[in-house]
Amino acid sequence: MGYPESVLADDEQVVLHRHPHVKRLIGPIMALLLATAFAGFVSGFVNSTAWDPNAKNVVFGVIWAIWLVIVGWLALWPFLTWLTTHFVITDRRVMFRHGLLTRSGIDIALTRINSVEFVHGFIDRMLRTGTLIIESASQEPLEFYDVPRVEQVHALLYHEVFDNPSVAG
């Protein structure tokens, strides 16, 4: 899913666009699988009973309505939140946008960036993700969590900020 071109200034080019690492979706996927397995098990149990067919249909409706609420809350909402979270580096700025119903974001001009760091623990190193920390001239350092291939992003951002003569000068 590309970042919308309408938010870019004239002649501004996207250098990098990332969503958070897919590790954020492990919990929602597990919730989907467990809720589906549990709903299927309970439906199989209800189907094997000698209840009236209309009563079974009501119970099936309740089971799958509860399943729909659980999956919507614990799986679909986190997925849509992940999908609508963007970390974008252009040739002029770093942009972070997130939120599904209420959007929020921050832009940092490359000329205002003082330092760029990354942090990742053992598991994050195995998954090739981590936290990118950007310190700008006027704010506390900003931390962006679960950035995929954080070392490459760090190197790319460092290059854009400190090696690019149009930014560094």
Side-chain angles (χ1 to χ4, degrees):
M1 173 185 231
Y3 196 73
E5 298 292 322
S6 62
V7 301
L8 301 177
D10 293 337
D11 299 326
E12 186 175 15
Q13 299 294 318
V14 172
V15 177
L16 175 88
H17 173 233
R18 296 269 162 88
H19 292 284
H21 194 272
V22 293
K23 79 175 189 176
R24 283 196 185 176
L25 298 178
I26 293 172
I29 290 169
M30 293 302 296
L32 172 66
L33 294 175
L34 290 172
T36 303
F38 186 72
F41 176 77
V42 173
S43 294
F45 175 76
V46 169
N47 195 39
S48 68
T49 63
W51 296 350
D52 179 62
N54 288 335
K56 284 184 182 182
N57 288 339
V58 169
V59 173
F60 288 146
V62 169
I63 291 168
W64 292 104
I66 292 170
W67 175 86
L68 186 62
V69 168
I70 290 172
V71 167
W73 179 41
L74 296 178
L76 185 60
W77 186 265
F79 171 73
L80 292 175
T81 301
W82 172 85
L83 192 61
T84 58
T85 300
H86 301 273
F87 180 79
V88 180
I89 300 173
T90 72
D91 56 351
R92 297 183 188 173
R93 60 187 164 156
V94 174
M95 297 184 291
F96 181 73
R97 302 283 189 275
H98 63 96
L100 189 58
L101 297 177
T102 304
R103 301 276 302 157
S104 62
I106 188 167
D107 292 6
I108 306 168
L110 294 181
T111 56
R112 308 266 312 164
I113 294 176
N114 291 337
S115 69
V116 181
E117 324 173 28
F118 68 91
V119 176
H120 56 179
F122 181 69
I123 300 294
D124 284 344
R125 286 176 53 202
M126 289 192 316
L127 296 174
R128 297 174 52 198
T129 185
T131 301
L132 188 69
I133 303 165
I134 299 174
E135 185 177 338
S136 66
S138 64
Q139 299 175 335
E140 293 291 319
L142 296 170
E143 296 184 2
F144 301 99
Y145 301 99
D146 298 328
V147 176
R149 295 189 288 276
V150 71
E151 290 185 55
Q152 290 176 345
V153 175
H154 171 266
L156 176 72
L157 187 54
Y158 187 87
H159 169 72
E160 285 294 319
V161 172
F162 299 108
D163 293 343
N164 189 342
S166 63
V167 175

